[in-house]
Amino acid sequence: MNTFFPEVDAVKYEGRESTNPLAFKYYDADRVVGGKTMAEHLRFAVCYWHTYKSQGGDPFGSGTFERPWNAGSPMEVAEKTLEANFEFITKLGVPFWCFHDRDIAPEGASFGEAVANLETIVAKAKKLQQATGVKLLWGTANMFSHPRYMHGAASNPDPHVVACCAMQVRRALDATLELGGANYVFWGGREGYETLLNTDMKRERAQMAAFFHMAVDYAKKIGFTGQFLIEPKPHEPTKHQYDFDSATVLSFLREFDLLDHFKLNVEANHATLAGHSFAHELAVAAEAGKLGSVDANVGDPLLGWDTDQFPTDINDTTRAMLVILENGGLGSGGLNFDAKVRRPSIDTVDLFHAHIGGMDTFARALLAAQAIIDDGRIAEFKAQRYAGWDSGLGKSILDGNETLESLEAKAMELGEPKRVSGRQEMLENILINAI
Ligand code: XLS
Ligand code: CA
Ligand code: CA
């Protein structure tokens, strides 16, 4: 397999002194950090849609990329793109890939053709997975690009459209099962609304819940035991999206009795679009025991849309890795590079540079986060800060033994509390010194 990326043989770890732009400086797959190898901690995945399907267009201009796999009939292109995927991933040395149904196979002229095309490509993908050892982190269905979904997918006012969603999710779940996928993702780009003048929000959220319950039932029926994930995003393409952020999705899952069946796929760029930090969104999911997987990318701080760039900010990724390590890792999830090269980065070698940078950034962040944990000062500071809740008055409040009146009496007795510093700058220095 040396057809589409002849400029690269295999990307190797060469260490931080290396000046080879096509080598890893930090990502050393077999290096053990805190009891696990880097590969086991980071579980990187390459995403199909940006990496091979992106043409380099933006809202103001057409595509700039000329990819060698984009030649021939739609099915020929699909087959070549699949070969390019496995060649790229094998050369990069990443264990996983992720796809949408419509990324890997063309929709064709009828629903029957769409189903048949997907089956043909999945059969080929299965062979390529076996030949290369590359595995599927997650599959998903694209229910946002086709015009039929302009008013929503499962939340559509027309049940006929929801039937089309069912067909797509059923087949995408079959494909994910066939390829041994570790997870299945739901991202609701059209699950939201533009104006309340034409929208019944209560109905639309209930429809989504009914749809998720059908998906849970179908997974059980076919024996798919992978983890179901919902990916929050506040808006774009829809103005108000129902899966706004981690907290909103958790509340939705609780409201509709779905909490046992889902975890969250947290994307960095979606976190910042929601007005949160990446670490905050991870922490909200983690504290509920629902951190499932991560879309590892970053938005541009000066642009207000989903730019899906490769992560290069080591401070931000270190804070994220701290949450992930404290969570005990990502379980069946991983770090999926849902990221694309910029429009002028037109060469296929730029795809390598981008992924190498993202992988090195996370590897470096892993080392820094593990060093912070081993150092122990931040954890000790936090433990001290809340020590008042471990015994005495704090414990009595948590145990339900106090009332507003009993606490008022305590406040009267103790007088004004002593003020203590939060030491934020000292703690930030520990973080930056670990990088
Ligand atoms: C779009 C989303 C999408 C999901 C998968 O903003 O990030 O790519 O990850 O449907
Ligand atoms: Ca994503
Ligand atoms: Ca995104």
Side-chain angles (χ1 to χ4, degrees), residues 10-11 24 46 87-94 352 355-356 359:
V11 181
F24 296 118
V46 168
E87 182 183 337
F88 179 73
I89 295 188
T90 307
K91 289 181 170 178
L92 190 62
V94 160
F352 282 98
H355 283 85
I356 289 168
M359 291 165 75

Side-chain angles (χ1 to χ4, degrees), residues 233 267 269-270 297 306 308 338:
K233 186 175 181 182
E267 179 181 310
N269 202 164
H270 298 179
N297 62 9
D306 195 13
D308 285 345
D338 186 356

